Amino acid sequence: MKVGIVGAGLAGLCAARSLLAAGIAAHDITVFERRASAGLETSFANGALLHPSAVDPWNSPGILGVLWRSLGRDDAAVLLRLRALPSLLGWGLRFVRESSPERHRAHTLANVALPLASVRLMDRYRTDGLEWCSAPCGSLAIYRDAASLAHAVQQVRALRAHGLESRALSRDEVVALEPALAPIAADLHGGVHHLGDETGDAQRFCHGLAQWLAAQGVQMAFATDVQALLGHGQGVSGLRLASGAEHRFDAVVLAAASHSVALAAPLGLAVPVRPVKGYSITLPLNQTPAAAVPHTPVIDSALHIALTPLHSHDGARLRVAGTAEFCGFDNHIDPARVANLIAPLKQVYPALGALADSPKRIDWTGLRPMCADGKALIGATRVKGLFFNTGHGQIGWTTAAASGELLAQAVTGQSSADSPGLDGAAFLPVRFGL
């Protein structure tokens, strides 16, 4: 079987690795990527966290009011741009409809199994010799008042039966776990330590995995723009490149994030995925006093940011990520949105505030592919030979390994020994008639 994969980010590369594990010959797999290397778009500089603890869809109850109040406010954590409304009308109605408490809870529970399996499956990549600044230290959610902490504890207790491990911490225990928080200890009430979370540099992972795949014999076609799918509404037979060249495949996997939508549209598939823009800044920590260097990822829901330290042989960095912006495919970096990360950085780590002015600071923005119900699209479509692995939203890194496994199961009809019983029914494209 010959398989063509569109997209060399997390979704496409993990799909290729899982197809290999499922028995597809390396020379029968081709990965197409329009950029010059792997992981240069949405996978490049995300929050650097694999977080089974935070898989609830962003269309939580009350999201319509949040979006309405965000109009015209560059300082809003979740921002809706008026110019994006035409592209969001049908999708947005579904997005809001799926935000009822009952639906939101059901989608959250469906999402839990995938990241838990992913964290376990990452051991496969470690045995391949890959390194991505991983650290199984968990993550620390901090809270400034008793009500917020009590609500968080209630949520994690409800999910404990589904395999999520966590423990509530007092203020002193928070500081003991992350001493770099000592300067703001008086502002904290407590926290929750999510034990199953991990850190990881997604772009570093993609780069290493692409090299590993190429060494196995997988064809990596970089700087190659896929223009169209070959075939019709009944079946796909290959891909046409922007150069005019055509490649024939028995199966085609769309793992091109939000760009998958346009490729599928000519076949009559209305894919309910839209881009949601996120930001990050990355700061060097090499010259920072040891007492001020954080070692545990910290999530501050009140400030809508995650602060993740990345330690490796080539230096220490701090990744600060957050915000969500509905603005279509606009991926320019807005200084006002970057400022929304710098201000809370100074609130959480006052001693690191000066790093925001470093000439080595890296600002980044990426377009997360968000499905209308907050769950990824993984598996076969009604078009013979066409498969999706997209729509993962803010948890693409967290679910990458298991998503690749489900994709390989859909293509080959069998599961690997590493993932017995992994159930992908909740993520099938058929739920949207695709």
Side-chain angles (χ1 to χ4, degrees):
M1 173 182 282
K2 295 179 68 66
V3 183
I5 300 173
V6 184
L10 289 162
L13 294 172
C14 287
R17 176 63 182 85
S18 293
L19 285 167
L20 271 179
I24 303 294
H27 62 265
D28 285 333
I29 303 172
T30 305
V31 180
F32 296 89
E33 171 55 52
R34 64 179 187 165
R35 302 292 293 272
S37 185
L40 292 182
E41 296 205 16
T42 307
S43 302
F44 183 73
N46 57 22
L49 268 175
L50 289 87
H51 48 79
S53 65
V55 296
D56 48 314
W58 279 355
N59 54 338
S60 56
I63 187 63
L64 181 60
V66 170
L67 291 171
W68 181 256
R69 291 188 295 273
S70 78
L71 289 171
R73 289 187 51 200
D74 277 335
D75 63 339
V78 180
L79 174 62
L80 172 62
R81 300 283 188 187
L82 280 174
R83 63 178 179 271
L85 280 176
S87 68
L88 295 174
L89 289 179
W91 178 91
L93 289 174
R94 182 67 182 262
F95 185 74
V96 172
R97 184 163 71 88
E98 299 291 345
S99 71
S100 71
E102 296 78 13
R103 289 174 184 259
H104 184 263
R105 176 171 173 76
H107 298 325
T108 298
L109 293 178
N111 277 346
V112 167
L114 209 55
L116 289 174
S118 272
V119 170
R120 175 174 53 81
L121 286 165
M122 292 303 282
D123 286 338
R124 170 194 288 177
Y125 295 91
R126 292 185 177 93
T127 62
D128 292 338
L130 300 185
E131 186 278 320
W132 56 90
C133 303
S134 62
C137 54
S139 69
L140 173 60
I142 57 174
Y143 301 93
R144 290 174 169 78
D145 60 80
S148 298
L149 178 59
H151 179 68
V153 170
Q154 182 181 25
Q155 287 184 310
V156 298
R157 282 176 178 166
L159 293 173
R160 192 167 293 160
H162 300 273
L164 293 175
E165 295 183 62
S166 61
R167 59 191 181 108
L169 303 179
S170 67
R171 175 193 294 140
D172 290 344
E173 289 171 326
V174 164
V175 176
L177 178 63
E178 181 46 77
L181 291 171
I184 66 163
D187 299 329
L188 303 178
H189 187 81
V192 175
H193 186 199
H194 297 288
L195 303 174
D197 292 358
E198 297 184 6
T199 64
D201 185 328
Q203 200 280 328
R204 194 180 190 118
F205 173 84
C206 287
H207 182 73
L209 180 53
Q211 288 187 323
W212 185 89
L213 289 168
Q216 308 310 305
V218 173
Q219 306 300 305
M220 303 299 299
F222 292 118
T224 304
D225 196 4
V226 174
Q227 185 180 64
L229 303 175
L230 296 176
H232 47 76
Q234 299 302 311
V236 165
S237 58
L239 298 167
R240 180 184 296 115
L241 308 183
S243 65
E246 295 184 354
H247 295 262
R248 301 289 170 174
F249 295 103
D250 300 299
V252 170
V253 179
L254 290 184
S258 301
H259 298 287
S260 301
V261 177
L263 287 171
L267 299 184
L269 299 180
V271 183
V273 171
R274 296 296 182 271
V276 180
K277 189 175 183 180
Y279 278 85
S280 77
I281 59 175
T282 305
L283 308 169
L285 292 173
N286 292 342
Q287 305 302 316
T288 304
V293 174
H295 291 273
T296 304
V298 169
I299 299 169
D300 191 326
S301 299
L303 299 179
H304 303 284
I305 61 163
L307 307 99
T308 305
L310 293 166
H311 297 272
S312 66
H313 65 274
D314 53 358
R317 296 163 289 150
L318 181 67
R319 176 74 49 78
V320 184
T323 78
E325 185 175 343
F326 295 82
C327 58
F329 284 89
D330 176 6
N331 63 356
H332 88 283
I333 294 178
D334 184 342
R337 302 297 284 167
V338 173
N340 286 349
L341 298 179
I342 294 174
L345 162 68
K346 294 178 178 180
Q347 288 181 257
V348 177
Y349 292 127
L352 301 181
L355 294 178
D357 299 322
S358 168
K360 295 183 179 181
R361 187 187 84 201
I362 299 174
D363 300 343
W364 174 84
T365 187
L367 302 176
R368 310 176 185 95
M370 188 71 67
C371 193
D373 64 357
K375 298 181 299 187
L377 293 171
I378 309 169
T381 71
R382 59 179 169 81
V383 177
K384 184 180 179 182
L386 181 63
F387 299 81
F388 286 142
N389 190 15
T390 188
H392 300 81
Q394 81 282 12
I395 57 173
W397 184 202
T398 302
T399 60
S403 295
E405 200 66 19
L406 288 179
L407 186 282
Q409 288 180 24
V411 172
T412 66
Q414 59 187 21
S415 61
S416 76
D418 292 333
S419 59
L422 187 57
D423 184 4
F427 309 100
L428 291 174
V430 69
R431 70 185 191 272
F432 290 105
L434 299 176

